[in-house]
Amino acid sequence: MCQLLGMNCNTPTDIMFSFTGFAKRGGLTDHHADGFGIAFFEGSGVRTFVDYQSAVTSPVAELIKNSPIQSKHVIAHIRKATQGRVTLANCHPFVRELWGRYWVFAHNGDLKEFTPSLDGPYRPVGTTDSELAFCYLLQQLRERFGDHQPAFDDLHATIREIVDDIARHGTFNMLLSDGSALFAHCSTNLYYVLRQHPFGSVHLSDEDLSVDFSELAGSEDRVVLIVTQPLTTDETWIQMQNGELKVFIDGVVVG
């Protein structure tokens, strides 16, 4: 299956250290070599980079590693294809508009007998169960709330309900963000870690590379990383429970 990487912060932050280790799993330290993608929120805009080549061979991935883009919300994905051919259209993350905001989505898993009826503006371009699930999720949100974004508590509860319904069809680890909050749902494997003051040195598990965040981060900075498998060997990663949905805002778990 695929692997996920998400970041949520209270101030724009560079994810390149973590992405460097994550990308190694795209064909070098692991077998997720059927494409990759990463999306960075910048205000109301989103920079999205995808490639059907593996993250260890793609020149797009190399470009990203050398471009320290800072963002408060990042979603990345390395693909091991289960449904859909290895094509650009099937690469995560996927992006759509809802309520005048971009929404970004990536999925790790495999959905069986998932054939929802799509009769609104959201239709898959590719052939993955992942993009189909994303379109269904957004269609359900628009049907329930119309053209106006609901209060956060109502949105949170409704996303939980829709995600639980989708997860009945199989493995549904997913990351979802509209640039104001990052939602993470665990079916099998998702971990997160909070980086905040006092910062220290950490070492990647997939590459012999360390960084001392005390030299880079301010005392008020907070960063949460969410990933399929822990990226570092010397941090306390918290494993999410199966069926759990968590929400991160400004580097804090809020639900």
Side-chain angles (χ1 to χ4, degrees):
M1 292 187 184
C2 310
Q3 288 207 11
L4 303 170
L5 169 63
M7 183 179 75
N8 172 262
C9 326
N10 67 336
T11 188
T13 301
D14 178 356
I15 198 176
M16 287 308 102
F17 173 74
S18 298
F19 180 74
T20 296
F22 182 67
K24 294 294 182 181
R25 300 175 180 179
L28 187 61
T29 61
D30 215 328
H31 57 257
H32 310 279
D34 296 330
F36 90 98
I38 187 168
F40 304 83
F41 279 92
E42 294 185 51
S44 60
V46 176
R47 294 180 188 261
T48 308
F49 303 86
V50 294
D51 196 350
Y52 58 84
Q53 298 182 67
S54 72
V56 296
T57 61
S58 168
V60 179
E62 195 62 30
L63 170 67
I64 294 167
K65 292 175 188 177
N66 293 309
S67 304
I69 301 170
Q70 295 191 331
S71 174
K72 293 175 64 176
H73 303 268
V74 178
I75 292 178
H77 182 273
I78 49 177
R79 186 174 184 234
K80 176 62 177 177
T82 55
Q83 295 188 36
R85 296 184 300 112
V86 178
T87 64
L88 194 62
N90 287 332
C91 291
H92 312 216
F94 303 105
V95 183
R96 297 289 194 281
E97 178 275 336
L98 175 64
W99 301 319
R101 303 182 69 93
Y102 286 118
W103 289 70
V104 174
F105 170 92
H107 166 230
N108 159 32
D110 191 17
L111 301 175
K112 302 298 186 183
E113 299 180 4
F114 181 66
T115 57
S117 174
L118 298 179
D119 53 12
Y122 302 110
R123 306 293 176 93
V125 176
T127 56
T128 63
D129 53 338
S130 306
E131 189 182 14
L132 178 62
F134 182 35
C135 290
Y136 173 72
L137 193 158
L138 294 184
Q139 176 175 286
Q140 288 294 301
L141 290 176
R142 184 177 289 278
E143 285 183 356
R144 299 186 191 199
F145 297 112
D147 293 331
H148 301 287
Q149 184 164 346
F152 175 76
D153 288 346
D154 293 334
L155 177 64
H156 183 193
T158 302
I159 289 177
R160 179 186 299 276
E161 179 184 338
I162 299 168
V163 166
D164 286 346
D165 178 51
I166 297 172
R168 292 189 298 105
H169 294 272
T171 305
F172 194 61
N173 303 298
M174 71 99 192
L175 298 176
L176 172 73
S177 180
D178 69 341
S180 65
L182 194 154
F183 296 83
H185 180 265
C186 176
S187 279
T188 52
N189 288 305
L190 270 185
Y191 295 78
Y192 68 93
V193 66
L194 172 61
R195 292 175 181 162
Q196 61 182 355
H197 182 78
F199 294 94
S201 180
V202 298
H203 189 271
L204 290 174
S205 58
D206 294 87
E207 184 169 352
D208 187 14
L209 183 64
S210 298
V211 66
D212 187 351
F213 285 113
S214 66
E215 299 177 355
L216 303 173
S219 61
E220 302 300 319
D221 291 351
R222 295 188 307 273
V223 178
V224 172
L225 287 177
I226 308 101
V227 70
T228 302
Q229 294 292 339
L231 286 172
T232 56
T233 59
D234 44 11
E235 293 183 284
T236 302
W237 291 83
I238 300 170
Q239 184 171 14
M240 291 178 58
Q241 300 300 307
N242 294 353
E244 189 173 22
L245 177 70
K246 285 196 174 295
V247 189
F248 306 89
I249 297 177
D250 291 336
V252 175
V253 182
V254 298

